[in-house]
Amino acid sequence: MTLSDRFSEFTAWRHAVGQSVSELKAWLIRNEVGDAQTDLRLAYLLDRLREDKLTVAFVAEFSRGKSELINAIFFADYGDRILPSSAGRTTMCPTELAWENGREPSIRLLPIETRAQGSSIQEFKRHEAEWFGVPIDVDSADSLQAAMARVGETKRVPPEEAERLGFPVDPEGKKGARAGDDGLVEIARWRHALIQFPHPLLKQGLVVVDTPGLNAIGSEPELTLSLLPNAHAVLFILALDTGVTQSDLAVWQDYIHTGRGQQHGRMVVLNKIDSLWDGIRSDAQIEGEIRGQVRTVADTLEVGDAQVYPVSAQKALLAKITRDPDLLDRSRIDTLENALSEELLPTRQEIVRDNARSEAGEIARRTRELLGARRRAVREQVKELSELRGKNQSVIEYMMRKVRTEKNEFEQGLQKYHATRSVFTNLSNNLYSHLGLDALRSETRKAREAMMEASFSRGLREAMESFFNGLRENLRRSNAEVSEITRMLDTMYNKFSIEHGLKLASPSPFSTERYEKEIERLRAAFNQQINTVGTMLLHRKGTVTQRFFDTIALEARRTFELANRDADQWLRAVMSPLETQVREYQLQLKRRLESVKRIHEATGTLEDRIRELEQSERGLLGQLNELASLEQRLAANLGLDSVLADSDSPARAA
């Protein structure tokens, strides 16, 4: 099965899951058993299912056949090369190939001068006017080639301008670009390229990232801090005829294999094995040389042999264009494509499955709790009213006093609930005082002031280290506040369960650990890319400060924005079940009191009311069965036995 076929299967699976979630959402609205928070959570889950992207990044030094490999895997159906593939540098800026519904096929180019504005590429994506657009005729290979060749454009600028735009300049040409005879330095014309292309895989959510070589990678920190670390798969391309050069090793160690041990989704492609097909070597000799090169590459990069995939991208492209199965088999591209689909799809499917099960499962459990509470209340009313058959008015009056007493006791309990709600609000405010963006801005301002006042590189380092320590401490304090909120809600959940019979599961957990890990990752990137002797010696204090805030601090802000969004959703979610059950219990008490009042005023209505309640119970039982069917369909689409834990099974809850 091809990569395209497997991706189509994944897309169809995701669509089926989304359909089941949509059915659950519509059912909740139709039966009036949801609330605004539930509706928002399911809408957010559906958005994630629809917009789920899989990012594959291709990384290599120039002349390793990276663009040819992308052509072979994704664009062979066009019968020609789409991405430029020739000797020398063909990709001078990071390039994203994707498809967004509602857009026209085009290439958008962000001028390199935007680096001086101190805004991230992600922010510029929201400002269409900053980009230079070129339309693409998808029916013309020439149009495609001409448009996509724009990513290789360069310009010549004075050395000081190159430095200002993030390109290091070195008179010897070893640690940066060297000025030519005209005194100018060649740099990329564009900072980033976005190619909107209606390829079947791109339409299904695949994003292909084509990256430039070592010098260009290092000059765009957002690529190394965000785009590559967050890619679901990274293909690192080497050439068999060059092996692992010093610049290849630098790219691998600095930007791809940054941690110890094998990293999931990081694959090494040993390209150009066809250079051994000289007609002199036998197949056995060729195989032996390939195995030897694979072993050498694996040892140098400190990965397993199975993580290195020898291929011929050029012959794979030719084989697909000419429909030559023997040549395709010899190119070994199928092995790489199969490995790529195995790396990408099962892991991503598991993440999507876990998210859908977590969200939809909890909502189904809460809905069952609500319907179960309604059914128990109806049963209690039927029992109470059945006991009134043949009773005199004094018994009915006693029953009415009893219900009123329960109502008064519950209203007294509500005072404690409202007090708890007030404490919850205070604790939430405390959480945001550590986790909120105001806290981040405060840490950022302190770090900037300390860096501007620093006289030596040591002071700069201390200021930047203090920034990370402050963020980590804020996250730890936030976690303490989360624990306090959880304990308080757990106590309140238990109290209402015992005193008023409300069926409430423990609040869902939340932790800041993932954000702490992300801050530690940024600290490691800072130590590797900025906190070095070379950087401190070669660049002015203002340049180092600006680079720190345009890269590391900007990524830290994104982490805190994500933490704020997740914390806000969690705070809403943990209060919603209690609020729903309290409202439901109040409503049931009111209905019980009204029923007894009606019977007190006219005893002939007793049997009618019992029949009404029995009919209501049958309706609730039908709703529980419908909910169980919705869960079963969702579980089947997810490939699970149930969307709930064993303790939450429909049989036990009913």
Side-chain angles (χ1 to χ4, degrees):
M1 188 179 291
T2 65
L3 176 63
S4 180
D5 292 335
R6 293 190 184 208
F7 209 95
S8 295
E9 277 190 356
F10 173 72
T11 302
W13 173 83
R14 203 176 58 193
H15 176 75
V17 172
Q19 187 65 33
S20 293
V21 174
S22 295
E23 289 174 1
L24 175 62
K25 183 171 179 283
W27 184 87
L28 292 172
I29 294 171
R30 187 169 62 252
N31 288 275
E32 298 180 346
V33 288
D35 53 36
Q37 182 57 32
T38 298
D39 196 52
L40 283 173
R41 290 175 67 184
L42 289 176
Y44 179 62
L45 176 59
L46 286 169
D47 285 343
R48 282 188 295 176
L49 285 167
R50 280 192 292 263
E51 299 172 8
D52 189 49
K53 301 289 185 183
L54 281 169
T55 302
V56 183
F58 290 74
V59 182
E61 273 288 63
F62 65 93
S63 297
R64 302 296 190 265
K66 171 171 51 65
S67 297
E68 191 80 321
L69 184 62
I70 297 175
N71 284 324
I73 294 176
F74 300 110
F75 301 118
D77 290 345
Y78 284 86
D80 202 345
R81 294 183 176 94
I82 299 304
L83 287 182
S85 177
S86 58
R89 295 174 184 262
T90 55
T91 304
M92 292 300 295
C93 68
T95 304
E96 291 182 61
L97 292 92
W99 179 252
E100 234 179 283
N101 289 328
R103 281 195 171 275
E104 294 296 322
S106 66
I107 177 170
R108 290 183 291 156
L109 301 156
L110 185 65
I112 195 67
E113 288 78 12
T114 57
R115 277 192 186 160
Q117 298 181 30
S119 296
S120 68
I121 294 168
Q122 201 62 34
E123 289 176 341
F124 276 117
K125 286 180 180 179
R126 295 192 284 266
H127 302 288
E128 195 80 21
E130 298 285 351
W131 299 74
F132 177 75
V134 179
I136 292 177
D137 181 0
V138 295
D139 297 321
S140 167
D142 291 339
S143 171
L144 287 169
Q145 291 169 343
M148 295 191 183
R150 301 292 305 266
V151 300
E153 292 179 346
T154 61
K155 63 190 298 186
R156 299 186 68 79
V157 298
E160 56 274 15
E161 175 71 1
E163 285 272 11
R164 187 175 73 89
L165 295 176
F167 295 94
V169 177
D170 180 11
E172 298 181 3
K174 294 180 180 179
K175 297 182 179 180
R178 181 170 56 186
D181 295 337
D182 57 0
L184 302 178
V185 175
E186 185 179 54
I187 65 170
R189 179 177 294 275
W190 310 108
R191 180 181 179 186
H192 201 84
L194 297 172
I195 298 176
Q196 285 292 320
F197 191 73
H199 184 279
L201 287 178
L202 303 183
K203 280 185 172 182
Q204 294 176 65
L206 184 68
V207 178
V208 177
V209 179
D210 187 10
T211 62
L214 174 61
N215 290 337
I217 286 179
S219 63
E220 187 56 72
E222 190 169 354
L223 180 65
T224 59
L225 292 174
S226 179
L227 202 53
L228 289 183
N230 293 325
H232 300 97
V234 176
L235 273 64
F236 180 57
I237 299 99
L238 301 168
L240 183 136
D241 54 355
T242 59
V244 184
T245 66
Q246 282 299 112
S247 59
D248 288 322
L249 191 58
V251 171
W252 175 258
Q253 292 177 339
D254 292 346
Y255 304 119
I256 302 175
H257 199 71
T258 55
R260 294 182 179 179
Q262 181 175 340
Q263 291 177 301
H264 186 75
R266 273 48 186 163
M267 306 162 68
V268 181
V269 180
L270 186 59
N271 194 20
K272 303 189 180 182
I273 61 171
D274 57 292
S275 64
L276 299 175
W277 305 350
D278 55 9
I280 299 174
R281 295 177 178 89
S282 67
D283 288 347
Q285 288 173 320
I286 291 172
E287 183 63 29
E289 289 200 35
I290 290 175
R291 276 207 210 99
Q293 281 280 39
V294 166
R295 194 173 303 113
T296 300
V297 167
D299 290 344
T300 304
L301 300 182
E302 298 181 344
V303 298
D305 290 5
Q307 205 175 335
V308 181
Y309 297 87
V311 302
S312 170
Q314 191 271 331
K315 294 299 187 255
L317 178 62
L318 176 62
K320 288 184 177 182
I321 291 173
T322 60
R323 302 185 185 281
D324 184 338
D326 293 333
L327 184 59
L328 185 66
D329 184 60
R330 201 175 181 197
S331 75
R332 307 195 189 195
I333 197 72
D334 285 346
T335 303
L336 175 62
E337 289 187 1
N338 288 336
L340 183 58
S341 65
E342 288 300 321
E343 286 283 348
L344 272 176
L345 301 180
T347 302
R348 192 61 195 164
Q349 188 168 9
E350 194 63 31
I351 292 171
V352 173
R353 180 184 288 117
D354 288 346
N355 285 339
R357 181 176 191 173
S358 174
E359 287 292 309
E362 185 184 348
I363 287 169
R365 185 196 69 204
R366 281 176 41 197
T367 304
R368 184 172 298 101
E369 289 172 353
L370 177 62
L371 292 174
R374 288 182 180 178
R375 191 180 176 201
R376 285 190 300 275
V378 168
R379 280 176 170 175
E380 288 175 6
Q381 285 191 63
V382 170
K383 182 181 177 183
E384 287 176 348
L385 296 182
S386 296
E387 291 173 352
L388 295 180
R389 285 183 171 122
K391 303 295 182 182
N392 57 30
Q393 286 292 98
S394 62
V395 174
I396 297 174
E397 288 172 0
Y398 165 77
M399 184 65 70
M400 192 157 58
R401 287 196 300 272
K402 179 186 173 187
V403 176
R404 281 199 179 114
T405 300
E406 286 184 37
K407 185 171 180 291
N408 291 335
E409 288 175 352
F410 184 72
E411 286 174 353
Q412 289 175 5
L414 279 182
Q415 294 177 4
K416 296 177 183 177
Y417 162 75
H418 290 306
T420 301
R421 195 71 175 80
S422 178
V423 174
F424 174 81
T425 300
N426 291 334
L427 289 174
S428 299
N429 291 335
N430 291 343
L431 172 60
Y432 285 122
S433 71
H434 306 307
L435 192 65
L437 295 182
D438 285 342
L440 176 65
R441 279 189 282 269
S442 175
E443 294 294 339
T444 304
R445 185 180 63 255
K446 286 190 292 185
R448 188 183 292 275
E449 290 172 354
M451 290 173 73
M452 296 307 295
E453 292 173 1
S455 302
F456 302 100
S457 59
R458 180 179 176 182
L460 277 178
R461 286 195 178 101
E462 289 176 350
M464 290 184 276
E465 282 290 345
S466 178
F467 174 75
F468 287 113
N469 291 336
L471 296 188
R472 186 171 59 181
E473 184 59 29
N474 276 344
L475 287 172
R476 287 178 176 173
R477 289 176 179 171
S478 299
N479 217 30
E481 296 293 345
V482 167
S483 298
E484 183 64 26
I485 291 171
T486 303
R487 282 193 297 272
M488 183 204 70
L489 288 174
D490 224 350
T491 301
M492 181 54 66
Y493 277 30
N494 290 333
K495 186 177 182 64
F496 271 78
S497 295
I498 294 169
E499 293 183 0
H500 305 292
L502 274 63
K503 301 296 183 183
L504 291 161
S506 297
S508 57
F510 181 75
S511 172
T512 63
E513 183 180 357
R514 60 177 291 202
Y515 317 112
E516 291 180 43
K517 287 181 177 178
E518 179 62 15
I519 295 300
E520 286 307 306
R521 184 185 72 81
L522 291 176
R523 185 199 289 268
F526 152 72
N527 285 325
Q528 185 179 46
Q529 299 182 32
I530 297 178
N531 190 19
T532 65
V533 174
T535 300
M536 295 298 176
L537 290 177
L538 292 175
H539 298 285
R540 297 188 303 272
K541 180 178 73 173
T543 303
V544 174
T545 300
Q546 193 62 39
R547 185 177 179 189
F548 178 81
F549 286 103
D550 287 350
T551 57
I552 302 292
L554 194 62
E555 285 298 314
R557 179 183 176 86
R558 286 181 188 162
T559 300
F560 267 69
E561 286 175 346
L562 177 62
N564 272 259
R565 188 199 70 190
D566 291 347
D568 186 57
Q569 288 181 344
W570 177 73
L571 289 171
R572 292 175 186 271
V574 293
M575 280 303 295
S576 183
L578 184 57
E579 291 171 340
T580 301
Q581 289 272 19
V582 166
R583 285 196 303 268
E584 184 66 23
Y585 194 75
Q586 282 182 301
L587 183 61
Q588 294 300 336
L589 282 172
K590 182 180 177 183
R591 286 173 178 168
R592 283 174 62 197
L593 188 58
E594 287 175 351
S595 293
V596 179
K597 277 183 178 178
R598 285 165 59 188
I599 293 159
H600 181 261
E601 292 165 359
T603 54
T605 63
L606 176 60
E607 295 300 327
D608 292 338
R609 182 57 182 154
I610 290 175
R611 281 192 292 272
E612 285 176 14
L613 290 170
E614 288 173 341
Q615 184 177 353
S616 177
E617 184 183 2
R618 287 192 292 272
L620 289 167
L621 187 58
Q623 288 180 327
L624 283 165
N625 290 332
E626 288 173 4
L627 178 61
S629 296
L630 288 169
E631 291 174 59
Q632 288 169 2
R633 284 201 292 275
L634 177 58
N637 286 328
L638 287 172
L640 300 168
D641 293 332
S642 171
V643 294
L644 302 173
D646 291 340
S647 60
D648 297 321
S649 65
R652 291 187 62 166

